[in-house]
Amino acid sequence: MSADEFLKVQRDIEDAQVPRRAHPKGWEPGVDTAAGVVTVQGDENPPQDWSHILWNLGLDPQAWEVDDSQPVQVRSWDNHEKRLFYYRAVVRPKQTGDRVDVERLIKEIKRRKPPAPKQPLEERALVVCLADWQAGKGDHGGVEQLIGRLLALKAAVPARVRELARVGRPVSQIVVSGMGDMVESCDGHYAQQTFGVELDRRQQVKLVRRMLVEMLADWAKLPARMVVLAVPGNHGENRKNGRSYTTFDDNADLEVFEQAAEILRANPDAYQHVSFVIPEGDMTVTLDVCGTIVTWAHGHQFGGSGLPLAKARSWWQGKMAAMHPAGDSSILVYGHWHHAQLLQDGPRTIMGCPSNDGGSRWFEEQGGNKTACGTLTFVCEGGGWGDLAIL
């Protein structure tokens, strides 16, 4: 057996990407008799004989015709390979001498029963964002108070699932995202860090691993599939003289989730409904969550100046230009800055996570405020999101 078998990264789900369009939106070839239009793709000149086009689209030319009294709309479109032309005409039933019995139609319409209301969407996911625990940090109650907050979170997630079910919004999936900075580390991030930590690195990893496995094992009892993912943060890096010196993937934030995956994988009968996504060669994860494409990133890779939301927006625009999977998402979730923030930018939404870290005296002395602890959660369904709550 080769070493690759033991070094293989567990990734049960690949990044989601929006398929590239074959036609311009709203100009897909076809016929819509209810709207009275027919759309075709052609060359630089519009069609002269529509009868064969109607026949190919399933309409009888003896019963349907293009209204010659109405103009034909034209649209050109560049699909990055060549320029395409689209034409839209008004289509109508051919006029006959028979008159419509209006009274009969009205009576028939009155007899029709209204359609049954649509059933609630079955595919609905609760997203739980575990951000910036920084386990081992000594500020503001340190490890003891962190454990108290995490045990409260362990109970709060099942309570939130039950609450959503009571209001008619049961979830079929739970997505747990590790947003990075799960450990504090011991050196290389700010002055006095080594003196201030309460746990060494091994103890930090042990605490996060055991707490994470306890949470996942408990939440896996809920009647829902579970997807668990992680992205690397700056506190998880191996640092020398304040700089990361190994690789992007050599990160404690990925390490603890990889360990949790191996622990749960040892009992496939109990946890076969739990999938893990550990990135390799990328610092982000992008998934289709019940029809909504979501990207997770820690946020320390956002460059530029300004407030965190502005940095996130600029970074995201770069990913769109690069046609990276993150550029196809409609939601970007980040951590790193420890404060809950939200920006709706057209059809896209940026969410900043609060942290479960009790705060940083170093940050406060530089003029920053104390952190309001909590865990960001929201619901995805049918291409959108809602039900945002901080637990």
Side-chain angles (χ1 to χ4, degrees):
M1 183 176 290
S2 69
D4 291 341
E5 291 297 318
F6 292 96
L7 297 176
K8 183 179 179 181
V9 172
Q10 183 167 351
R11 172 133 197 178
D12 301 322
I13 305 171
E14 295 303 319
D15 279 337
Q17 254 185 309
V18 175
R20 302 304 166 195
R21 286 191 172 276
H23 307 286
K25 185 176 181 180
W27 284 77
E28 296 82 0
V31 62
D32 185 347
T33 55
V37 295
V38 57
T39 305
V40 296
Q41 179 183 334
D43 53 26
E44 297 183 9
N45 299 311
Q48 299 301 314
D49 180 12
W50 289 88
S51 59
H52 73 283
I53 295 175
L54 297 179
W55 177 265
N56 289 333
L57 293 174
L59 294 182
D60 184 357
Q62 300 298 320
W64 293 85
E65 65 181 357
V66 166
D67 188 351
D68 294 332
S69 67
Q70 299 297 322
V72 175
Q73 301 179 49
V74 61
R75 164 77 185 272
S76 62
W77 187 60
D78 188 350
N79 71 347
H80 304 292
E81 295 180 0
K82 63 179 180 179
R83 174 150 296 190
L84 305 176
F85 293 86
Y86 295 81
Y87 300 93
R88 175 171 295 162
V90 175
V91 66
R92 65 183 182 185
K94 282 190 174 180
Q95 300 295 319
T96 67
D98 299 331
R99 298 191 60 177
V100 177
D101 187 344
V102 177
E103 293 297 328
R104 179 179 60 79
L105 290 176
I106 292 175
K107 290 180 181 179
E108 182 180 338
I109 290 171
K110 287 182 177 180
R111 286 197 300 267
R112 293 181 181 176
K113 295 181 179 180
K118 292 183 178 179
Q119 296 299 316
L121 290 172
E122 295 183 359
E123 287 297 315
R124 183 181 293 115
L126 175 65
V127 181
V128 181
C129 303
L130 310 179
D132 298 87
W133 290 3
Q134 293 185 218
K137 196 174 187 178
D139 293 350
H140 303 304
V143 173
E144 288 296 326
Q145 289 197 16
L146 171 66
I147 292 174
R149 290 191 295 271
L150 297 181
L151 289 175
L153 174 63
K154 175 189 168 186
V157 169
R160 181 60 174 157
V161 171
R162 292 191 293 269
E163 181 182 32
L164 289 167
R166 282 197 299 270
V167 297
R169 297 178 59 71
V171 299
S172 59
Q173 189 176 38
I174 299 172
V175 178
V176 181
S177 62
M179 299 302 304
D181 284 5
M182 305 301 288
V183 300
E184 167 65 6
S185 198
C186 298
D187 181 47
H189 294 85
Y190 54 87
Q192 304 164 350
Q193 182 182 17
T194 304
F195 185 82
V197 295
E198 295 182 342
L199 303 177
D200 63 30
R201 186 177 177 87
R202 179 187 172 194
Q203 292 172 323
Q204 293 175 19
V205 170
K206 184 192 302 183
L207 171 60
V208 174
R209 179 179 64 243
R210 291 181 176 178
M211 186 60 69
L212 183 61
V213 170
E214 190 171 322
M215 286 180 174
L216 297 179
D218 187 63
W219 298 344
K221 298 174 185 176
L222 295 167
R225 303 185 308 279
M226 185 182 294
V227 176
V228 185
L229 64 99
V231 294
N234 52 302
H235 278 261
E237 296 171 342
N238 288 293
R239 289 196 167 195
K240 182 186 295 182
N241 299 322
R243 299 285 184 179
S244 172
Y245 70 96
T246 56
T247 66
F248 290 112
D249 299 328
D250 184 16
N251 194 295
D253 297 320
L254 303 183
E255 176 186 343
V256 290
F257 277 84
E258 202 163 41
Q259 293 169 352
E262 292 176 357
I263 293 169
L264 268 59
R265 191 169 57 189
N267 188 352
D269 292 337
Y271 303 112
Q272 61 182 346
H273 63 299
V274 181
S275 302
F276 280 82
V277 180
I278 309 296
E280 186 174 27
D282 199 330
M283 296 176 69
T284 68
V285 171
T286 300
L287 298 179
D288 186 329
V289 182
C290 296
T292 305
I293 299 183
V294 184
T295 290
W296 292 267
H298 178 61
H300 65 301
Q301 65 266 57
F302 301 166
S305 60
L307 296 173
L309 284 171
K311 293 182 178 182
R313 187 172 185 265
S314 177
W315 174 88
W316 203 8
Q317 288 174 334
K319 292 298 183 182
M320 296 174 200
M323 299 185 74
H324 185 277
D328 284 338
S329 58
S330 54
I331 298 176
L332 170 62
V333 186
Y334 67 85
H336 188 59
W337 277 280
H338 293 213
H339 296 275
Q341 302 179 68
L342 187 141
L343 172 65
Q344 288 189 286
D345 189 9
R348 300 176 188 257
T349 303
I350 303 174
M351 299 181 183
C353 296
S355 75
N356 254 308
D357 165 24
S360 168
R361 172 135 184 230
W362 176 257
F363 181 73
E364 293 161 17
E365 294 295 345
Q366 290 182 311
N369 294 322
K370 290 185 178 181
T371 301
C373 299
T375 296
L376 175 72
T377 69
F378 57 96
V379 170
C380 285
E381 61 175 330
W385 67 273
D387 299 287
L388 188 147
I390 296 177
L391 306 181

